[in-house]
Every structure is written in structure tokens, then in C-alpha cells.
Amino acid sequence: MSLGTIGTRQADIDKVIRKLQAKGARLVFVYEAGPCGFWLYRYLTRQELTCVVVAPSLIPRKPGDRVKTDRRDAITLARAMRSGDLTAIYVPGIEDEALRDLSRGRHDALQDLKRSKRRLKSFLLRQDIRDEGRASWNAAHLRWLAGVVCPTPPQQIIFQEYLRAVTEQHERRQRLERELHDAVKSWRRYPLVQARQALRGVELTGAVILATELGNISRFDRPRQLMAYLGLTPSEYSSGDRRRQGSITKAGTSHARRALVEGA
């Protein structure tokens, strides 16, 4: 049975729930993890309804099935849920998700800073303006940038804009990093963050990333499960008696995997 398109307002969702509950059936809701977040999961569980959030990459699909519509996706989810072929993902608490958003916002600022630096360096390279120093973005390099003069006024304008973008992104990253370090001190898992800094190569920011991305680590029964979740286990292509392993799978959260690799 298809109910068609359902509105995104809570009133629309409540209307569908009442309509389905009137039929006397046990309701189980399932949807793909994505930009909608976990508000729907929390809203349904508060009403003591069963809700499952699944990763799109773990939904079984037929080879060659490339038609993707809302109706077909909903039918696929319903059938896979009924047959038990779906794996629910871990849903963090509101406080945990807030710290994770702050951590990921800092990473986004870092990526924007790197892109701004690449644009500036590419612009200078096109003008054959080169710093004779060996290091980039240290104090001496910044002093050199402050004295750069481009061949024409329009090029000087765009150079100043690129340089200003680098400065602004650098300050933005520092602000978010300070906010992250301050906010984590009142988090209930702060003792765990402090304990992980005892590992070599893991400082405060890396420990926060691991804590916010992994969440409740006790849900993993064995270390192998944790490594598989992080995508650090070798990929495998086996057939019959032949076993062939490749590079790591890179499944799961890339943020936690990156923090571990950088720490190592």
C-alpha cells in the first residue's frame, strides 16, 4: 500500500500515524540517513514508535537497478526491513551530535582554509611571483606576502582578496577550535577524551574527534568490529579457495579514520 508523498511538518506525520494506527497494525518506520538528520527518529521514538535509520550504502540493491525514485526507494526499504536485511546505524544523543557538529564545522573551516591557500599560491605562480624561503605560511612567509606587489592594479586587487580570504579562514578555524575545546569540558565524556590523550600522537582535538564520531564505543563487542566500522580492515575479493585482499575498505566515518591515521 502506498500513501503517496507525505509532508514534512509534524502535523503531516501525526496524520499519517493516526491513519495507520487506525488499521490496528504494528508500525515500524525506516528511512535513510542523510541531510534530514535524526529529528524524525527522535520524534517517533518519543511517541514510543519503532524507528530505524539505515545507511544508504548498506541497503541491498539488485545489480543493474539504476532507477531511483521516492516510491521505488520506499518499497525497497519496506521489503528489506520486513526480510531483516537492513542494518540500523548508531543514532547519537542530542548533546553528542552537537559536539560532533562543532567538530565537523572545525574540519570544514580547515578545508576552506586549505582551498584559500591553494588559490592564492596558484595566483602567485601564474604571475611568476615566488618566495625564496623554504617554508610556507610561517611568520617569514606572511611578512613576504604583505610586501607583494602585482604587475597591474586589477591583479593587486584580486591578490589582496585572496590574502584576506586566507586570513579570515585562518581566524575562523581558530575560533571554532577554541569553542570546541571549551565546549568539550562540560561534556559527560570529557574524562574519556582526557584518557585518550595518553595515546601517542593523540592530542585534544584528535581525542574529541574520536569521541564524537565513535559515540558509545561499548556497542562494539570486539576490536575487529571497531576496525571494520572505521574502514581500516583490508578489502577482500575471494572466490572459492582463492582469497585476495586489497587496500582498506574506507567504510564508515572518514573523520575518525583521518584522526587515527594522522595520530599514527
Side-chain angles (χ1 to χ4, degrees):
M1 179 184 67
S2 175
L3 299 177
T5 303
I6 301 173
T8 58
R9 299 177 305 171
Q10 292 185 358
D12 300 326
I13 298 172
D14 291 338
K15 180 179 179 180
V16 173
I17 292 174
R18 290 193 300 269
K19 183 177 180 179
L20 294 175
Q21 286 178 334
K23 300 180 181 297
R26 176 176 174 266
L27 302 182
V28 177
F29 296 87
V30 58
Y31 69 94
E32 297 181 17
C36 293
F38 301 120
W39 71 268
L40 180 58
Y41 169 87
R42 297 187 179 110
Y43 181 71
L44 293 174
T45 52
R46 281 198 300 268
Q47 301 187 45
E48 299 182 353
L49 296 171
T50 303
C51 182
V52 176
V53 186
V54 298
S57 59
L58 299 180
I59 299 174
R61 298 186 185 278
K62 296 179 181 179
D65 185 6
R66 300 178 182 177
V67 180
K68 185 174 177 61
T69 63
D70 292 342
R71 179 184 176 89
R72 288 173 66 95
D73 287 349
I75 293 175
T76 300
L77 283 174
R79 289 175 176 171
M81 188 68 190
R82 184 174 57 185
S83 61
D85 293 332
L86 294 181
T87 303
I89 66 172
Y90 170 73
V91 178
I94 296 179
E95 183 185 10
D96 300 348
E97 188 179 17
L99 263 294
R100 190 180 70 177
D101 288 340
L102 187 56
S103 173
R104 291 183 178 182
R106 173 204 164 270
H107 174 72
D108 292 340
L110 180 60
Q111 295 302 110
D112 292 340
L113 174 60
K114 289 181 178 179
R115 281 191 287 267
S116 298
K117 288 181 177 180
R118 284 196 297 267
R119 293 190 187 102
L120 178 57
K121 294 179 71 173
S122 298
F123 173 79
L124 294 176
L125 185 61
R126 292 197 303 271
Q127 313 306 321
D128 195 27
I129 301 175
R130 307 170 189 268
D131 183 12
E132 299 300 331
R134 294 185 178 182
S136 296
W137 309 113
N138 58 6
H141 182 68
L142 294 177
R143 287 195 298 270
W144 174 80
L145 284 173
V148 168
V149 178
C150 295
T152 65
Q155 290 172 328
Q156 186 69 24
I157 291 174
I158 195 62
F159 166 73
Q160 294 295 339
E161 289 298 325
Y162 281 148
L163 184 59
R164 185 178 295 110
V166 171
T167 304
E168 291 174 353
Q169 294 300 338
H170 179 70
E171 294 174 351
R172 174 189 168 206
R173 183 190 64 83
Q174 288 184 323
R175 286 196 307 270
L176 289 174
E177 196 162 280
R178 286 195 301 268
E179 293 294 341
L180 180 63
H181 292 175
D182 292 339
V184 76
K185 294 178 182 178
S186 59
W187 192 29
R188 71 181 189 282
R189 289 184 177 151
Y190 183 59
L192 178 61
V193 172
Q194 291 178 306
R196 283 181 178 160
Q197 294 180 66
L199 300 172
R200 292 186 62 183
V202 180
E203 40 74 54
L204 179 56
T205 302
V208 172
I209 293 173
L210 291 176
T212 54
E213 294 294 335
L214 295 180
N216 184 12
I217 200 172
S218 62
R219 70 183 191 275
F220 302 104
D221 296 330
R222 297 182 300 275
R224 184 180 295 273
Q225 292 180 347
L226 176 59
M227 292 300 100
Y229 174 79
L230 292 171
L232 293 173
T233 54
S235 57
E236 184 172 339
Y237 304 89
S238 301
S239 177
D241 296 333
R242 181 180 178 183
R243 184 186 183 194
R244 184 177 63 179
Q245 290 185 318
S247 59
I248 60 175
T249 61
K250 294 186 179 180
T253 169
S254 61
H255 299 279
R257 183 171 59 252
R258 186 185 305 107
L260 285 174
V261 171
E262 289 178 354

